[in-house]
Amino acid sequence: MPIPGGPETPPSGWQQPVAAPQGWEGRPLASWGSRVGAALLDWLILFIPVALLIVLVVVVALSSDAGGIVTGILSAVLYLVAVLFYAPVLMARQGEHNGQTWGKQIVGIRVIRDAGQPVDVGFAFLREFVVKGLLFGFAGSFFFSLPTLIDYLWPLWDDQNRCLHDMVVSTHVVRA
């Protein structure tokens, strides 16, 4: 019974509307196999230019020692830049490919930030280079790469299929 002068009682069966989830909630999670497949494809995509650069350096080195050294140094710097920025630049794309490298795009998965914001270059650099590369890769190498191995295998027993680096930066990997 409504109180006189008070708010009206909504009709029976009425419920408060629920906001749509902003982040990963309600989306199907990526499997461990799809994550491994995407990582291998990304590795292959970066390996092909390296093979071509090695052939170029060898060809130039056979014709000129100084040219081989210069070509080798420039190739190494170019490859380092490509490795550092491959994932951050691709993952920061706007629209439907946000959170995807080419490997993730081929496999059909994407990285989603837990709070729902889009992945930008700075965040992708933090996730890919600082956390995965430096923390688990470089620092993990001082411990016989066990932290790296545990990070990669963690989704096998995690109920949300998350790696440790996903937990550090608050992300989930979902099917696109």
Side-chain angles (χ1 to χ4, degrees), residues 35-158:
R35 291 178 69 135
V36 170
L40 290 174
L41 284 169
D42 285 330
W43 179 84
L44 184 63
I45 288 168
L46 285 170
F47 175 75
I48 291 170
V50 169
L52 295 174
L53 286 174
I54 290 171
V55 169
L56 175 68
V57 169
V58 169
V59 168
V60 172
L62 289 175
S63 64
S64 166
D65 289 340
I69 292 169
V70 170
T71 306
I73 291 171
L74 288 175
S75 297
V77 169
L78 181 65
Y79 180 70
L80 181 62
V81 168
V83 167
L84 285 177
F85 292 103
Y86 168 78
V89 169
L90 287 175
M91 290 176 70
R93 292 178 289 172
Q94 297 300 316
E96 66 178 309
H97 296 302
N98 185 261
Q100 291 182 311
T101 59
W102 287 328
K104 287 178 179 64
Q105 189 174 335
I106 292 167
V107 173
I109 61 176
R110 81 175 58 253
V111 174
I112 302 270
R113 295 173 73 175
D114 287 352
Q117 307 101 320
V119 175
D120 58 19
V121 173
F123 182 81
F125 190 80
L126 171 73
R127 182 182 189 270
E128 297 296 318
F129 180 69
V130 176
V131 176
K132 287 172 69 175
L134 293 179
L135 179 63
F136 286 105
F138 180 71
S141 68
F142 292 108
F143 301 97
F144 307 105
S145 295
L146 285 175
T148 307
L149 180 63
I150 292 169
D151 178 43
Y152 291 150
L153 295 178
W154 199 267
L156 291 173
W157 54 81
D158 185 71

